[in-house]
Amino acid sequence: MELAPRYEESEARYEDREKKKRGLGQKDLVSIDQLSSDDIILILDMAESFKKISERPIKKVPTLRGRTVITLFLEPSTRTRTSFELAAKRLSADTVNISKSTSAVVKGESLKDTALTLEAMAADIVIIRHPASGSAALLAKYMGCSVINAGDGQHEHPTQALLDLFTIRQEFGTLRGLKVAIVGDILHSRVARSNILALKKMGSEVIVVGPPTLIPKEIESLGVRYSYDIDSVLPEIDVLYVLRIQMERQGESLFPSLREYAKLYGINKQRLQMTKPDLVLMHPGPINRGVELAPEVADVSQSLITEQVKNGVAVRMAVLYMLLGGAEVE
Ligand code: NCD
C-alpha cells in the first residue's frame, strides 16, 4: 500500500522505507522514552494505512496470521482492552484475554511466574495493564516475546499518547508549534506523563493546569509550564486535553469537593467560549460527566473524544505490526 506523505513531519521519514520494513527495532513498548521522533512519525504514518483498512467493509488483513496476542489486564478497562483486541483481530492474530478475575494472580501467583507461564504458551505479544508502576518493564525483562504497556500505575500509557498525537495531527496537519494544555489530575495520570513526553518530542508546547495538590513539584523538569488558573490559559491554546479525576488513586482528598473542582477547573460552555475558534477538546475516557467536563460539553462540535477512540484501533494495529517486525501492508 502506498503511504501518502500528507504531513510535513513525515516527509523525511517517508524516504526510509528500509526501516519501515524492519519495524521499530525493539522488542517492547514500555515507555514513550524508547521512541525517537522519527519512530513516532513512522508509527503515525503506518496507522494512517491501517485506518483505511478499518474503513473498508471487510476490516481485516492477514498480516499477523498465526501470531498470538495475549491481553493481561489486571485493572478495569473497557476501551483500551477492546481496542487492542480489535486491533489484533483486524490483523488476523489469535487473541486471548486474561483479566484479574480469570488470572492466577488472585491465587497469589507472582508476575514473574505469570510471565513464564504465558511465555511457555508461545505468545508473540503480551499487552499488560497493571496497577503498579514499573510492572510492564518487569514483565518485558522476564519475557522473550514483545510486551506492550497498556498502563502501569501512575507511570505511562504510551499507546494512549500515540493515538492522541495521531488525532491532533489529523486535525492540524502538524504537531510542531501547537500549544496543548493538559488539565486536571496530573499527579496520578500515566496519560499525562506519556503525552508530555510524546508532545515535547514532536515540538509541541505543553502547559499543565490543575490545583497545586494535583501538579507534581518536579513537573518543570519535563520541560513544561504549569498554571493553577485555567481561565488565563484558555485563550492561548490549540488543544484542551482534559483528564479524568482519578478518585480510585487518591489516597487522601486532594481538593475540597468534586463540586468545587468542577467550579474551578471543569470545562463548561462558558469556558469554551474563551478559547480560539479552532480549539479542539480531548479526553482519554472514561469521562466523569459533571466533574471535569460539564454534561453538555463532551458532545460539542470541537470534541474529538470519539475520534480518539476510533483512531486508537488503527494506532494499536500499527504498534503491534511494527513490534513484530514490520513489512509492507497488503
Ligand atoms: C486512562 C487510563 O486508564 O490510564 N484511560 C484509558 O486508557 N482510556 C485514563 C483514565 O483512566 O482516566
Side-chain angles (χ1 to χ4, degrees):
M1 181 186 285
E2 263 308 298
L3 289 172
R6 276 177 52 205
Y7 302 106
E8 50 171 319
E9 293 108 326
S10 61
E11 278 163 24
R13 200 75 211 112
Y14 191 63
E15 321 261 292
D16 190 357
R17 290 194 163 267
E18 277 317 296
K19 175 144 190 207
K20 191 164 86 243
K21 286 185 192 140
R22 286 202 308 274
L24 280 179
Q26 33 197 323
K27 183 172 87 65
D28 312 295
L29 179 58
V30 168
S31 161
I32 288 290
D33 255 341
Q34 291 169 252
L35 303 175
S36 65
S37 59
D38 281 349
D39 292 331
I40 294 178
I41 291 166
L42 202 62
I43 295 170
L44 303 191
D45 287 351
M46 188 54 77
E48 290 283 336
S49 315
F50 284 124
K51 194 170 177 193
K52 293 198 190 90
I53 291 168
S54 296
E55 285 158 3
R56 293 182 194 163
I58 296 176
K59 302 172 182 51
K60 209 163 178 147
V61 284
T63 321
L64 297 188
R65 197 167 44 202
R67 304 290 201 136
T68 304
V69 174
I70 297 183
T71 60
L72 175 64
F73 272 56
L74 303 177
E75 229 188 35
S77 162
T78 22
R79 74 196 71 213
T80 305
R81 198 195 56 70
T82 314
S83 179
F84 269 114
E85 188 178 349
L86 275 179
K89 288 200 152 98
R90 286 187 185 166
L91 294 170
S92 304
D94 296 319
T95 56
V96 181
N97 299 311
I98 304 172
S99 63
K100 190 168 180 186
S101 54
T102 58
S103 112
V105 171
V106 287
K107 298 186 185 166
E109 185 178 70
S110 73
L111 192 58
K112 182 176 177 185
D113 287 332
T114 306
L116 297 177
T117 308
L118 299 180
E119 181 109 302
M121 290 177 185
D124 293 292
I125 298 195
V126 174
I127 301 162
I128 180 174
R129 168 164 292 193
H130 195 285
S133 302
S135 49
L138 194 75
L139 198 70
K141 195 173 120 197
Y142 291 132
M143 299 196 78
C145 75
S146 291
V147 172
I148 301 179
N149 181 5
D152 62 331
Q154 303 175 21
H155 175 229
E156 276 217 50
H157 190 354
T159 59
Q160 177 69 43
L162 292 168
L163 77 89
D164 292 331
L165 263 57
F166 182 93
T167 308
I168 298 172
R169 188 178 77 155
Q170 178 180 267
E171 198 61 25
F172 291 95
T174 185
L175 293 159
R176 195 159 304 283
L178 292 178
K179 277 194 188 178
V180 181
I182 305 181
V183 181
D185 188 353
I186 312 293
L187 181 66
H188 298 98
S189 177
R190 54 198 175 204
V191 173
R193 197 180 163 76
S194 289
N195 261 300
I196 289 170
L197 294 173
L199 286 163
K200 293 291 299 169
K201 273 184 203 267
M202 302 310 294
S204 307
E205 192 185 319
V206 181
I207 310 159
V208 298
V209 184
T213 45
L214 294 181
I215 297 191
K217 286 185 187 62
E218 62 289 353
I219 197 74
E220 280 173 310
S221 67
L222 295 179
V224 304
R225 269 165 57 199
Y226 69 89
S227 170
Y228 304 140
D229 175 17
I230 178 83
D231 294 335
S232 69
V233 170
L234 288 174
E236 61 168 307
I237 55 173
D238 303 292
V239 179
L240 177 54
Y241 194 103
V242 181
L243 297 170
R244 182 172 68 89
I245 290 294
Q246 307 201 12
M247 297 310 288
E248 77 278 17
R249 292 193 203 284
Q250 297 198 5
E252 53 183 311
S253 187
L254 294 171
F255 48 83
S257 71
L258 288 176
R259 243 182 91 222
E260 176 98 354
Y261 180 84
K263 189 161 152 259
L264 288 174
Y265 294 98
I267 303 303
N268 50 32
K269 282 243 157 98
Q270 292 87 299
R271 287 208 159 106
L272 280 182
Q273 277 162 10
M274 299 163 68
T275 63
K276 291 184 185 173
D278 60 350
L279 169 116
V280 294
L281 174 70
M282 299 174 71
H283 189 299
I287 298 169
N288 289 319
R289 281 191 199 241
V291 183
E292 67 268 5
L293 291 183
E296 71 284 3
V297 157
D299 316 309
V300 293
S301 61
Q302 293 122 299
S303 165
L304 297 181
I305 299 171
T306 45
E307 202 54 33
Q308 286 171 270
V309 177
K310 199 190 281 178
N311 292 336
V313 178
V315 169
R316 290 179 172 120
M317 285 170 85
V319 169
L320 289 171
Y321 172 74
M322 299 291 291
L323 280 181
L324 289 183
E328 287 292 322
V329 183
E330 291 169 35

